[in-house]
Amino acid sequence: AAGFGAHASAANSPLQLFVRAKRKINEIYGEVGDYVSSAHRFLTVTSSGVTSDLAVVSPENKKLVSDHDRKVSSIREVLRRDHMKVVFFGRTSNGKSTAINALLGDRILPMGIGHTTSCFLQIEGTDEKEAYVVTEVQPDQRQSLTSLSQLGNALCEEKLDASAKVRIIWPKDKCPMLAQEVVIIDSPGIDVESDLDDWIDKFCLDSDVFVLVANAESTLMLTEKKFFHKVSERLSNPNIFIIHNRSDAFAGEEMQHEVKAQHSQRAQAFLVQELNVCNRSEAEDRIYFISAKEALQARLQEAKGQPPQISTEDFFTRYLEFQKFEKNFASCLSSTAVKTKFAQHTARGQSIVNSVSQILLDIHHRSQKRQQSQVALRKEIGDRLDSTEKQLEQMTHEMKEKIHQITEDVEYKVGKALSEE
Ligand code: GTP
Ligand code: MG
């Protein structure tokens, strides 16, 4: 049947929208950087050794271009590190860790009955070959993966504080999703901890998507709802997905359609009326019934090139729904991240390019005026000004072309990326 072994290949994953936009904006900023720093160099050279009454380059000009130069460097640094971020929340044992493992296609996070995940676990990709773990208190010290079961597991004595964060650095070549610039955060159950405001400050403000892992066997709980009320008070229009996990418990149940309808309706009312974060039709793409346990098993089998060995009724329907969740969630994640992370930098890049080009044009203009009004003086310093002016003229010409090219490039490519979603 279609679907088995069809583990979305990286090339046509919706995540590519972000991956491509990131590559593009980094390229464009590389060009902007070259342009601004060459303008900066030029201004420095042109103004050095010129007495102030002859200067065509003002100290303000120099300062502004130098500030722009520095600003572009720091934006480039930010852009290089940008990624998409998703956080999973829900009550203990609803299957948050299992759901994340299913998306990653591997048993990376500790899962188990009872209260398992004891602190925040952030999974991110590395180009290196070996996985390792780092804690916030010792960010430079790499720990082996085996320490994860101690650091992140509530059943072990060495466990950290619930709002502590442990980073799991996992080889990208073992996981296509992590290779596509995604960072996933697993959390302890929202019912076992009280300092939820602290969690929001620390883990939610820069997240692109939230996944509420609910339990299909019960219903949305007050603690879960309360938490997301807090989140949506702090963030404008958070993207929230609700997955009703453990739907395999429905298999063979007579009333399963009625139960599902009830859950859907409540989840929809929660998103649309209570939180007011999306409309009715959008909510349809935000609510799912899955079995993370089955999906993980199926993925592990697929990795071995084998069909899943699951005989529960309706398994395939649930697995398809999991894949649908995976796809819609990925496209929401990447389009949101492109907007929030790149749109502002695109505008900023354009305004810097415009500002620098304006300065260069002003300087050019000033040097032309000086040429007309100070013919005598020009004789004395003729050679110097002449060559300066030639340089300016050529520079301005080149800049004009480049600005035009870059501005068009920025508008076209990023505009295209933004509208692709
Ligand atoms: P905490 O870390 O304690 O907050 O729990 P969690 O939400 O991370 O749950 P976890 O993924 O550890 O899963 C809890 C238990 O539920 C494990 O024994 C899983 O195997 C089981 N489980 C997870 N998902 C499913 C599912 O879809 N169906 C069934 N039947 N069991 C599941
Ligand atoms: Mg867990």
Side-chain angles (χ1 to χ4, degrees), residues 200-245:
I200 294 173
D201 285 341
K202 214 171 155 191
F203 301 101
C204 298
L205 300 183
D206 65 342
S207 288
D208 302 298
V209 168
F210 300 87
V211 179
L212 166 55
V213 183
N215 189 343
E217 295 162 287
S218 53
T219 185
L220 281 187
M221 300 278 174
L222 225 57
T223 39
E224 293 168 326
K225 287 185 163 193
K226 265 195 195 147
F227 179 74
F228 280 96
H229 272 289
K230 277 174 186 281
V231 170
S232 73
E233 275 163 26
R234 298 290 303 278
L235 282 122
S236 73
N237 271 324
N239 296 306
I240 302 170
F241 283 76
I242 299 179
I243 52 180
H244 297 90
N245 192 34

Side-chain angles (χ1 to χ4, degrees), residues 130-145:
E130 287 292 321
Y132 59 92
V133 166
V134 280
T135 60
E136 280 172 308
V137 272
Q138 295 170 303
D140 301 323
Q141 194 184 329
R142 294 181 177 201
Q143 307 195 29
S144 81
L145 265 189

Side-chain angles (χ1 to χ4, degrees), residues 96-97 110 116-117 186-187:
K96 300 176 292 295
S97 305
T116 305
T117 310
D186 188 14
S187 62

Side-chain angles (χ1 to χ4, degrees), residues 90-99 110-118 186-189 245-248 290-294:
R91 288 182 68 244
T92 302
S93 284
N94 279 2
K96 300 176 292 295
S97 305
T98 311
M111 315 167 270
I113 49 170
H115 167 36
T116 305
T117 310
S118 64
D186 188 14
S187 62
N245 192 34
R246 296 173 161 267
S247 295
D248 48 314
I290 64 155
S291 167
K293 193 178 177 177
E294 290 175 343

